[in-house]
Amino acid sequence: MQTKYASPSDLAGPIENAVKSVDSSYNCNAYLCRGYQYEDNADNVHAVTSGEVITFHIDLVAGHHPGWANVSVIDLASNTAIGDPLVEWSNWPDSKSGPPRNDTDFTITIPDTLSTACDEGGKCAIQWYWWSDSNSQTYESCLDFYVK
């Protein structure tokens, strides 16, 4: 997905670069799922079940920025994590882990506790979040889902 605030030359770039392009017409929180809107993605919402294991692959294009990362379930109304991270790395990307690399190819399990909080699309997202200590930049992406 592309917004007019993402650099066409660097769609995977840090959020801080996109925020520099924000004008008065921007009405989104760039630090919530990179500013992407549920309404723009309603046809791609994933229906999941409690206990389901989901496989992820991170297309690492900026791997020279060490920092930390996590994957959490986010309450989209409050932009807060629901519970603890589903997976986290204190050193990301970890070029020493692999092959296979467990920092770019990994699984998460849908917690049993989400059946009410995330029972319809637009309430929650699974958010991958990476903070680069080396250059103070934020990278993130989201997966819209609901627990059926």
Side-chain angles (χ1 to χ4, degrees), residues 85-106:
L86 303 176
V87 64
E88 56 190 327
W89 301 268
S90 59
N91 180 27
W92 203 95
D94 179 9
S95 61
K96 296 179 176 93
S97 69
R101 290 181 63 157
N102 68 357
D103 61 341
T104 56
D105 292 288
F106 56 90

Side-chain angles (χ1 to χ4, degrees), residues 6-75:
S7 168
S9 66
D10 190 7
L11 295 177
I15 293 171
E16 289 79 8
N17 288 358
V19 169
K20 292 175 186 174
S21 302
V22 170
D23 59 23
S24 62
S25 68
Y26 188 77
N27 63 357
C28 305
N29 179 352
Y31 292 92
L32 173 60
C33 294
R34 197 173 175 85
Y36 297 138
Q37 301 299 294
Y38 172 80
E39 293 77 17
D40 295 334
N41 196 44
D43 293 337
N44 297 312
V45 177
H46 296 268
V48 300
T49 58
S50 294
E52 184 173 341
V53 175
I54 301 174
T55 300
F56 283 90
H57 170 75
I58 303 299
D59 187 12
L60 183 59
V61 296
H64 55 281
H65 303 308
W68 56 269
N70 66 49
V71 177
S72 299
V73 174
I74 302 298
D75 177 317

